[in-house]
Amino acid sequence: MVDADDSHLVTERRQKAARYRSAGKEPYPWDFPGRVPTSEVRAACQGLSNGAADEARTLKVAGRLKIVRQHGKSAFLDLEDRSGAIQLFARVDELGEEGYADLLSVLDPGDIIGATGHPLVTRRGEPSVRVDSVVLLAKAIAPPPEKFHGLQDPEERLRRRYVDLLSSRESLARFTARTLLVRELRAYLDGLDFLEVETATIVPVASGAAAQPFVTHSNYLNAELQLRIALELALKRLLVGGMERVYEVGRCFRNEDLDTTHSPEFSMLELYWAYADYSDMRRLVEGMFARLAEVAAKALPDLPAAREAPELFRPPFATVDYVGELEKRSGIADLLGRSREELRELARTVGATVPDDSPKGKFMDKLFEHYVEPHLIRPTFVLDFPADTTPLAKRHRSRPGLVERFELFARGYELGNAYTELNDPDEQEARFKEQLSGRGEDHYALDTDFIEALRYGMPPATGYGGGIERLVMALCGVSSIKDVILFPPVRARSPKA
RNA sequence: GGGCCCGUAGCUCAGUCGGUAGAGCAGGCGGCUCUUAACCGCAAGGUCAGGGGUUCGAAUCCCCUCGGGCCCGCCA
């Protein structure tokens, strides 16, 4: 499959390149100046009636040759670039008997070519370029996937993403959309006077979440280092330092399994906003998603789920109370009044297998995941969580045992998480230690320097964090995280492959 | 970690009571000057993921390995 070197198709393509070369032409030339996007050709064809060419105008286009339809002494070649596709019309009349024959004998689907010619609308009404010359810009030695179905094998689509992209407009558009969404996200936050920062990815102790870190080694420090699992503690240090409004979009790494909504390597957005609380953050996040939904719809007009995003993400989003919603959906009364043993048994009934000594909130989370989460299709803010599973959030100003926290859900999964940030250093230290005493120390590391930072005074603030991949998935209606990560983690091919 | 499923030509896919491995696309040769997955004809293209076993005979049945998919569990 990959070992294309043995295929006669490769041999034939090499021979074509060699033939081209022996005719004094370069199959891999250095440039092709003056090309315009194919969209410009379509625009140039706007005023032309069927069968008419604009002889006064000469255009150059470049891109990948997708399909050749030969008719003896004329041929149609479909050329594709980032802006779309355009049909080339090549005839003996313009190219000459010899030139025409030489050209077609050297071209294959998949080749990168450049064409020079005149805008033409065919008798059938197709915008085209009637070419005076076509040159190879890069001979493709490997054959592209089948022209109609493209690359279907999910494994190959991940391992050779370039083939997926070059053969699937849909895939190219989806990944382009991801970039446009992140660009717009930055524009939104920049417009609100947030500062984008970059913090360390390689750190002495990964903290800010409870995931298993990747471990590495520094030759310089001669010490074990870890890859960050969250941005939170670094960004809050910046609030201490006076940056007031900061955000980061960056890779985080969690040494855990992957599924449709988790990947070991993923991008996170986190933002921190001084002198604001989680209610302010709700409005900000709502506005952000509403604005991004417009971008998604525009970027992926052919994808129904993306087209419907602006409607789905139209503010105001639904708001529900964490405990209240869970009690309502599960039919379980007085959750906060239940003992840990009762909650553990309830969690068991929904198939959860968490350690017996987990905090009560952990069992409630399992119930929430089972009874509530799958039903949260429309964007919904879930408010006010048990304190024992949220050590970085400030206790609720009026509801004992809870913290000021919301999570945003849509399409049945979590999109983001926000708190009114805990800024009391002594309480923070106590909460950390409480967390540590309960369970798996190897899952949680005490960042003493962070507590030290809080001692210098962090303004009251709110923070939000959410995965970029899930954001893209939700806005574009993509169901697997691998479809929004260009190069997801894959196993090395076995040596034999 | 558990369960189920998948791996056949460069690509997309057929092919189970076990009996010489098929099609379409792409590629080759020939024909065709307005096609749209162009069309028509001819010829070619295979370590059936890899290894082992059962059998007179294995793509097909069994076991192992590799890779992948889906579901569940785990991941505050």
Side-chain angles (χ1 to χ4, degrees), chain A residues 312-324:
Chain A
L312 184 62
F313 285 89
R314 176 158 297 141
F317 297 171
T319 299
V320 300
D321 177 65
Y322 175 84
V323 174

Side-chain angles (χ1 to χ4, degrees), chain A residues 200-482:
Chain A
T201 52
I202 305 174
V203 295
V205 177
S207 57
Q212 198 70 249
F214 285 90
V215 175
T216 186
H217 180 265
S218 163
N219 291 337
Y220 160 59
L221 298 171
N222 189 26
E224 180 185 299
L225 293 174
Q226 301 182 344
L227 302 189
R228 68 181 174 189
I229 56 176
L231 311 174
E232 178 152 4
L233 301 190
L235 294 180
K236 284 186 186 171
R237 284 172 168 91
L238 301 181
L239 292 189
V240 172
M243 296 188 87
E244 296 190 4
R245 296 180 191 193
V246 293
Y247 74 96
E248 178 166 9
V249 176
R251 282 303 166 101
C252 291
F253 307 87
R254 296 185 178 182
N255 207 343
E256 284 160 13
D257 281 354
L258 77 177
D259 60 32
T260 50
T261 54
H262 297 78
S263 175
E265 180 181 0
F266 66 105
S267 289
M268 186 103 107
L269 161 70
E270 291 199 34
L271 60 110
Y272 292 85
W273 182 8
Y275 311 110
D277 67 13
Y278 79 144
S279 298
D280 299 311
M281 184 61 86
R282 241 162 67 201
R283 286 191 290 276
L284 181 149
V285 167
E286 202 170 57
M288 182 176 82
F289 274 93
R291 181 157 156 187
L292 295 180
E294 300 291 340
V295 174
K298 214 164 109 188
L300 299 172
D302 297 331
L303 202 59
R307 235 178 18 238
E308 291 157 11
E311 166 56 29
L312 184 62
F313 285 89
R314 176 158 297 141
F317 297 171
T319 299
V320 300
D321 177 65
Y322 175 84
V323 174
E325 187 69 11
L326 179 52
E327 288 178 341
K328 190 176 113 193
R329 296 235 184 217
S330 67
I332 304 167
D334 188 30
L335 275 168
L336 291 174
R338 304 259 174 175
S339 69
R340 191 199 324 220
E341 289 65 34
E342 283 180 287
L343 291 171
R344 183 203 302 151
E345 287 314 306
L346 286 166
R348 287 250 168 80
T349 64
V350 300
T353 57
V354 285
D356 286 351
D357 58 350
S358 301
K360 287 163 72 171
K362 177 68 185 171
F363 298 117
M364 288 174 66
D365 277 343
K366 287 293 155 193
L367 294 170
F368 190 86
E369 282 171 27
H370 181 263
Y371 286 110
V372 184
E373 199 168 315
H375 301 289
L376 300 179
I377 304 305
R378 298 195 67 84
T380 303
F381 289 117
V382 178
L383 300 186
D384 299 337
F385 286 64
D388 58 14
T389 51
T390 316
L392 294 161
K394 187 174 277 189
R395 68 176 187 279
H396 199 281
R397 62 194 75 187
S398 61
R399 304 179 73 186
L402 301 183
V403 291
E404 295 198 351
R405 169 184 181 186
F406 72 74
E407 287 195 331
L408 174 61
F409 290 83
R411 298 195 194 269
Y413 49 85
E414 181 199 334
L415 276 180
N417 182 21
Y419 318 136
T420 300
E421 302 295 341
L422 175 55
N423 60 345
D424 175 337
D426 291 339
E427 185 179 346
Q428 182 67 83
E429 184 166 15
R431 296 269 285 276
F432 272 151
K433 286 184 170 158
E434 183 187 325
Q435 189 82 11
L436 275 170
S437 66
R439 37 195 300 283
E441 302 85 83
D442 58 351
H443 267 59
Y444 209 92
L446 182 61
D447 187 339
T448 51
D449 180 76
F450 173 67
I451 294 171
E452 177 74 14
L454 290 187
R455 289 183 183 139
Y456 285 86
M458 185 179 92
T462 178
Y464 173 87
I468 294 292
E469 287 79 12
R470 289 192 187 184
L471 177 149
V472 176
M473 288 167 66
L475 291 170
C476 299
V478 175
S479 57
S480 172
I481 200 168
K482 288 183 176 179

